[in-house]
Amino acid sequence: MAEKGLNIVVIGAGVAGMSAALKAFDLGASVTIIAQDMPYRSGSTCVRDGFSAAVGLASGDSPEQHAEDTLRCGEFLASRSAVRRMCEQAPDIAELLLRLGLVFDRTTEGLPSLSRAAGSTFARTLSSGRSIGQRLVSVLSGRILRACSSGRLTAYYGWEFLSLIQDESGRARGVIAQELRNMEIKAFAADAVILCTGGYPAIFGRHCRSAANDGAAIVSCMEQGAAIANPEFVQVTPLAMSVSSRARSVPDSVLSSGGAVWIERDGKPWHFLKEWHGASGGAVPDDLVLNSLVRACKEAGARTNAARLDLTHLNPETIGLKMPFLLDACDAAGLDPSSETMDIAPAVRNSLGGLWAKLDHSTSIEGLFAAGSAVCLYHGACAMSGNDLLASVHGGMVAAESAVSSACQKGAGAAELSASLVSHAKERETDLVSRISAKQGTENAYSIASELSSTLFEKALIEKDNEQLARAAGKIAELSEKLARAQLIDRSEWSNSELSFHRRLAKRLVLADIYVAASIAREESRGGHRKAAIPKKDDKKWFVTTRAFMKSGKMALDLSERVNGEPGDRGY
């Protein structure tokens, strides 16, 4: 139990953030949640690929096999110890979520309905209706409301995290945040801070997550001393439908459930996945599906990397039972999946890099912890379907335990934070707001953001080439100069979303520069990072974790940290 008066600040209200907040609350700490949006607008609600746990032990599955599948899918680049711990606890976490009120789908016999994620050995992915992410967020947010009634947990929704408050030793002692309605800048003292703001898929334009997942908070922490791990790894799914001008990912379990992907060649459907990955029935992880799609489109002479998802050969009841997540998207697009094929094209599912952290989720800033997609621990070079929500719940709980334990060792001291320390941190952010508000020029920030997204998606994502990456780096530098000349059109002092956009766009450009630099540095192809000129991985030289950090005000890379564990063959 936490000692009396201990205060933990959690940034973010997705699954990871709420899991961390509830765990810290259960341990006796006072908790403050700061989130830009309400929980139902978090990136967690976009997750539809289930919750993986080795609960079907009668089939021969086990947590050990779950861990092995996860490591294999991620090209063995994930933390072996962290993955094993997560998979061992997964059945207990599934049972906990069931007790909290999350209803998992069942078979007609009343047993858990399990699907097999692409690349996994056994069917172990639990589902819940058409969107397990939305249901889990609803369950956890209800628990947050109950905890708020105790007076020991307070939620500030509609507040944007700006920066950390650090004491003379560099320890995180709280945060500075801004209320996005009245634009008040406020300090929140804390004995420990847990960052759960999600990853950075939004910087790539076509993505399947929340627009708030742009990595701005991660960059803010890096600028204050944290390191970013493996920023070059991004999960791109080729199974994304366009619904109402937005990309919506289709879980890869459609492949193991009988779905087919094809492109047209010589006027006929070409089932390239089954031809090249016949042993798996075409059900392989995202990176292999994407690489196969790119290769097939080149061989067929197609102009784009688009394909068709075909379920017309399946029984409509099978689609409804095994793929309910498709029904909403098809309804919105006016399609009947039992009689019509669907257009699919690549989109960013999520980022795999994040803040560098130890096994206990502590970062390189003392007192700062991270969980969910904001941390790099569990997925390696390619995330296995069904592990996203598991890693968020598990990681949030581990981060909370570690934060409370660390704060207890230091002793509760948030209330003793010096006024000068708080004043200096607030002045730093107030001065930044004043500089942005005074900007004059002819450039438009929204046009700059659009150019950045298209540059990254087209030149630095699906197939990477060092020459193209160098051009992308030059374009990012050009866009940074443009942003300095971008005028703030909205100068109101109330609910000024454009001011926030300018501030976050500057962070996006920094993160994009880090992503491109790390992509140039890693001279191999592994998981979601693919270079056409170097199609194979190099375990002898590149079985390492990329670390990006600030040194003398400039970004620097460290490629010397070997991954804990031994590389192996994926065997797909």
Side-chain angles (χ1 to χ4, degrees):
M1 293 293 290
E3 66 179 79
K4 189 175 181 181
L6 197 68
N7 186 45
I8 305 295
V9 169
V10 177
I11 311 299
V15 166
M18 290 190 288
S19 298
L22 290 170
K23 185 63 177 181
F25 177 82
D26 288 343
L27 292 173
S30 295
V31 181
T32 301
I33 297 176
I34 298 172
Q36 186 173 342
D37 289 310
M38 298 290 288
Y40 60 81
R41 291 181 62 86
S42 68
S44 299
T45 61
C46 303
V47 180
R48 293 175 171 82
D49 55 4
F51 185 96
S52 290
V55 296
L57 302 183
S59 65
D61 196 9
S62 67
E64 292 76 17
Q65 187 60 54
H66 183 187
E68 186 59 32
D69 287 347
T70 298
L71 291 168
R72 190 161 52 101
C73 182
E75 291 274 22
F76 303 93
L77 209 62
S79 168
R80 183 174 295 270
S81 299
V83 168
R84 285 179 172 173
R85 180 186 60 192
M86 175 184 74
C87 295
E88 287 172 0
Q89 296 183 10
D92 291 337
I93 294 175
E95 179 64 27
L96 171 63
L97 297 180
L98 186 63
R99 293 202 308 270
L100 291 179
L102 181 63
V103 179
F104 291 116
D105 295 341
R106 300 276 177 172
T107 65
T108 53
E109 293 83 12
L111 299 174
S113 178
L114 302 174
S115 60
R116 185 172 68 87
S120 65
T121 310
F122 295 93
R124 66 170 68 95
T125 303
L126 297 153
S127 56
S128 182
R130 298 188 178 188
S131 178
I132 188 172
Q134 290 181 359
R135 287 192 174 185
L136 182 51
V137 165
S138 179
V139 167
L140 294 178
S141 61
R143 292 287 165 169
I144 291 291
L145 287 174
R146 176 179 291 184
C148 286
S149 66
S150 70
R152 201 158 43 83
L153 189 151
T154 307
Y156 289 83
Y157 298 135
W159 287 71
E160 181 182 345
F161 165 77
L162 303 182
S163 60
L164 299 169
I165 301 173
Q166 294 174 281
D167 61 19
E168 293 77 5
S169 67
R171 179 182 175 86
R173 297 294 304 278
V175 304
I176 302 296
Q178 184 172 34
E179 214 273 353
L180 296 176
R181 184 173 53 179
N182 61 22
M183 309 307 287
E184 173 192 3
I185 294 178
K186 182 178 178 179
F188 296 84
D191 296 294
V193 177
I194 306 175
L195 190 78
C196 306
T197 53
Y200 45 92
I203 70 172
F204 296 95
R206 181 174 165 81
H207 65 93
C208 307
R209 287 296 179 97
S210 167
N213 294 149
D214 59 4
I218 294 175
V219 173
S220 293
C221 292
M222 188 196 74
E223 291 173 341
Q224 294 184 270
I228 299 177
N230 291 341
E232 68 270 31
F233 287 103
V234 173
Q235 185 101 356
V236 181
T237 175
L239 305 175
M241 298 173 60
S242 293
V243 181
S244 301
S245 74
R246 288 194 58 190
R248 182 174 296 186
S249 67
V250 176
D252 58 22
S253 59
V254 299
L255 301 177
S256 58
S257 298
V261 174
W262 55 264
I263 65 172
E264 189 173 291
R265 184 178 66 173
D266 299 328
K268 298 178 181 179
W270 177 22
H271 296 265
F272 57 92
L273 284 179
K274 291 185 178 179
E275 180 177 321
W276 293 338
H277 301 285
S280 303
V284 289
D286 274 346
D287 63 311
L288 294 181
V289 177
L290 179 65
N291 294 343
S292 299
L293 174 62
V294 172
R295 174 186 165 190
C297 288
K298 286 181 178 179
E299 292 187 12
R303 294 183 179 180
T304 63
N305 293 320
R308 308 290 293 179
L309 176 61
D310 191 352
L311 308 177
T312 56
H313 55 288
L314 300 178
N315 188 305
E317 292 184 3
T318 301
I319 297 174
L321 288 174
K322 292 188 175 183
M323 312 171 200
F325 42 76
L326 271 178
L327 300 182
D328 285 338
C330 289
D331 288 345
L335 292 172
D336 179 4
S338 64
S339 60
E340 299 175 88
T341 59
M342 293 159 276
D343 287 316
I344 55 172
V348 175
R349 190 192 295 272
N350 202 5
S351 54
L352 301 175
L355 288 180
W356 177 91
K358 299 177 184 176
L359 187 59
D360 64 353
H361 284 244
S362 61
T363 69
S364 39
I365 295 178
E366 187 181 5
L368 174 65
F369 301 79
S373 297
V375 73
C376 179
L377 271 177
Y378 296 102
H379 303 306
C382 179
M384 174 162 281
S385 181
N387 279 350
D388 194 323
L389 293 177
L390 170 60
S392 293
V393 177
H394 168 76
M397 295 169 68
V398 173
E401 290 176 351
S402 301
V404 170
S405 175
S406 173
C408 283
Q409 291 174 12
K410 290 290 182 179
E416 302 171 5
L417 199 58
S418 68
S420 61
L421 207 62
V422 173
S423 177
H424 175 72
K426 288 181 65 176
E427 285 178 6
R428 179 182 63 232
E429 297 303 333
T430 302
D431 289 345
L432 177 59
V433 168
S434 298
R435 291 198 301 273
I436 295 174
S437 299
K439 288 173 69 175
Q440 299 285 345
T442 57
E443 302 292 346
N444 182 281
Y446 297 98
S447 296
I448 294 170
S450 179
E451 282 189 74
L452 174 64
S453 297
S454 60
T455 297
L456 291 177
F457 198 93
E458 295 168 9
K459 296 183 178 181
L461 185 61
I462 296 176
E463 277 195 305
K464 299 178 182 179
D465 173 80
N466 280 359
E467 185 176 335
Q468 288 280 65
L469 288 168
R471 291 176 183 170
K475 185 64 174 180
I476 292 168
E478 176 188 326
L479 294 176
S480 297
E481 294 177 0
K482 280 188 175 183
L483 182 60
R485 302 192 302 271
Q487 182 179 11
L488 184 71
I489 300 173
D490 185 356
R491 299 183 182 277
S492 62
E493 298 180 0
W494 183 269
S495 193
N496 191 335
S497 60
E498 189 186 358
L499 187 148
S500 173
F501 187 82
H502 272 251
R503 182 170 52 207
R504 296 177 73 91
L505 179 54
K507 309 286 186 185
R508 287 191 188 193
L509 288 162
V510 172
L511 185 54
D513 192 41
I514 294 170
Y515 166 79
V516 170
S519 296
I520 292 174
R522 184 175 285 272
E523 291 288 350
E524 65 163 354
S525 290
R526 186 186 298 268
H529 168 82
R530 182 174 185 272
K531 288 188 171 179
I534 316 172
K536 295 183 179 180
K537 64 179 181 178
D538 182 355
D539 286 329
K540 185 175 181 180
K541 184 177 180 181
W542 291 106
F543 194 58
V544 299
T545 297
T546 306
R547 294 184 66 190
F549 54 92
M550 299 300 290
K551 185 177 182 180
S552 302
K554 294 184 179 180
M555 186 270 295
L557 295 177
D558 178 12
L559 302 167
S560 63
E561 183 181 317
R562 293 286 295 180
V563 176
N564 182 23
E566 293 297 325
D569 182 22
R570 299 176 90 183
Y572 300 132

